[in-house]
Amino acid sequence: MESKEAFLGQLKEALDELQAEMEKLEVKAREEGAHMKQKYKKEIDALQLQIKEARKKFGALKTSSGPAWKEFKAGAKKAFEEIKKSWKSASHPER
């Protein structure tokens, strides 16, 4: 079974990596034309909201224990999967 500390470390690393990739996407959006800039902005805004929610779950995970830890862990995994789906969409918008 994965330890709480290991899971939290992996989650924090993944969130930090997504944040860095999102910042790269924001730069790319500024360099694109008006149409693509709007497309990226919409995707980036949605992704930022999801990352914010995941960071809230991360904070709750750090202080949880016992059954609450297992419940929060499951919720955090689900939230992270949704972020990964959104990231794929945001990083490859239709042209």
Side-chain angles (χ1 to χ4, degrees), residues 6-24:
F7 179 75
L8 289 172
Q10 291 171 354
L11 184 59
K12 182 179 183 327
E13 186 178 310
L15 284 170
D16 290 346
E17 187 177 308
L18 276 172
Q19 185 68 41
E21 290 297 320
M22 190 171 57
E23 289 168 7
K24 289 178 189 176

Side-chain angles (χ1 to χ4, degrees), residues 19-84:
Q19 185 68 41
E21 290 297 320
M22 190 171 57
E23 289 168 7
K24 289 178 189 176
L25 186 61
E26 288 173 326
V27 169
K28 187 175 180 179
R30 285 192 295 270
E31 294 171 353
E32 293 286 334
H35 169 72
M36 289 308 293
K37 191 172 182 178
Q38 271 303 101
K39 171 68 174 164
Y40 280 124
K41 175 154 178 34
K42 197 173 179 181
E43 298 290 340
I44 288 169
D45 288 348
L47 189 56
Q48 284 176 329
L49 182 60
Q50 287 181 316
I51 290 174
K52 182 179 178 180
E53 290 300 315
R55 287 197 186 276
K56 282 182 189 177
K57 286 187 187 301
F58 177 78
L61 274 168
K62 288 187 345 186
T63 60
S64 65
S65 62
W69 150 244
K70 290 178 183 176
E71 186 178 318
F72 276 119
K73 180 180 176 183
K77 281 186 174 184
K78 182 179 178 188
F80 190 69
E81 288 301 316
E82 290 299 317
I83 290 170
K84 287 194 306 189

